[in-house]
Amino acid sequence: NGSTDPTSNVEAYRAMAETGFADYRLKITGLVDTPKEYTLSELRNMPARTQITRHDCVEGWSCIAKWTGVPLSRLLDEAGVQAKAKFVVFHCYDLLGGGLSGPVPYYESCDLIDAFHPQTIAAHGLNDETLPVSNGAPVRVRIERALGYKQPKYVHTVELVESFAQFGRGKGGYWPDAGYDWYGGI
């Protein structure tokens, strides 16, 4: 998201962090048969995938890390993706920007091909530790076939949609709304 600590609803986020995110819920909503909510404990107790991958930033730097999390496909399958869904939008706790209109909610998206890719995970662990706040706690989505700005941190809602028209400037993400490539593939 370009930040190391969420800037929206700061008191509520900090209160959750102080309790190890005990009150956290990851919501799966939108064009699904059965909306779902998962606690962090439930996510941590699901079958997980661990992968060592390189994070490539559009700014030119990269780093390698070991990520652990639930395959996003499992969560989407449990909710039952409806046939008219085309994209997945990730809503985050973060606010960014500060122009004349003020900060806006950070969001990102991907298509269903990347959402169901085996390496796309709702990560809750980093380098055999609990995912820290600076790296997106409690949950960060890792879309390994994409650049870093496509890896949303501080995710609270995963929404299945048919289009991006109702979000931001309708381009599919905070950075795409600012002119970055929507797909952001590597």
Side-chain angles (χ1 to χ4, degrees):
N1 298 8
S3 63
T4 57
D5 204 356
T7 54
S8 72
N9 216 353
V10 174
E11 283 111 30
Y13 181 85
R14 295 225 192 296
M16 270 196 307
E18 287 175 15
T19 65
F21 297 99
D23 294 331
Y24 172 78
R25 301 290 183 276
L26 177 64
K27 298 174 185 167
I28 313 294
T29 66
L31 298 175
V32 296
D33 296 329
T34 308
K36 296 284 191 177
E37 285 191 14
Y38 299 95
T39 66
L40 187 55
S41 177
E42 288 171 327
L43 293 170
R44 288 178 177 157
N45 285 304
M46 289 180 167
R49 176 181 172 87
T50 297
Q51 56 202 29
I52 298 172
T53 53
R54 188 171 96 171
H55 179 100
D56 289 302
C57 181
V58 71
E59 295 171 343
W61 58 269
S62 65
C63 61
I64 296 174
K66 183 178 183 181
W67 300 94
T68 300
V70 179
L72 184 60
S73 61
R74 177 190 172 116
L75 304 177
L76 298 178
D77 283 342
E78 287 185 4
V81 176
Q82 294 177 2
K84 61 183 176 178
K86 293 183 180 150
F87 304 102
V88 180
V89 175
F90 306 101
H91 300 277
C92 306
Y93 284 109
D94 225 355
L95 291 175
L96 288 184
L100 295 175
S101 62
V104 295
Y106 191 90
Y107 77 104
E108 192 47 75
S109 66
C110 69
D111 60 23
L112 293 180
I113 293 169
D114 275 332
F116 280 93
H117 190 278
Q119 288 184 308
T120 300
I121 61 174
H124 51 71
L126 174 60
N127 297 328
D128 295 321
E129 301 286 335
T130 299
L131 183 65
V133 168
S134 61
N135 293 100
V139 170
R140 173 187 192 144
V141 176
R142 297 291 306 168
I143 304 168
E144 299 303 349
R145 300 180 342 151
L147 290 166
Y149 68 88
K150 298 295 290 184
Q151 322 285 331
K153 300 177 183 176
Y154 320 116
V155 176
H156 60 75
T157 303
V158 176
E159 183 178 1
L160 282 290
V161 301
E162 192 171 4
S163 82
F164 304 132
Q166 69 270 32
F167 306 106
R169 294 185 177 158
K171 307 280 187 185
Y174 176 87
W175 291 112
D177 283 347
Y180 284 57
D181 178 59
W182 170 76
Y183 183 68
I186 52 173

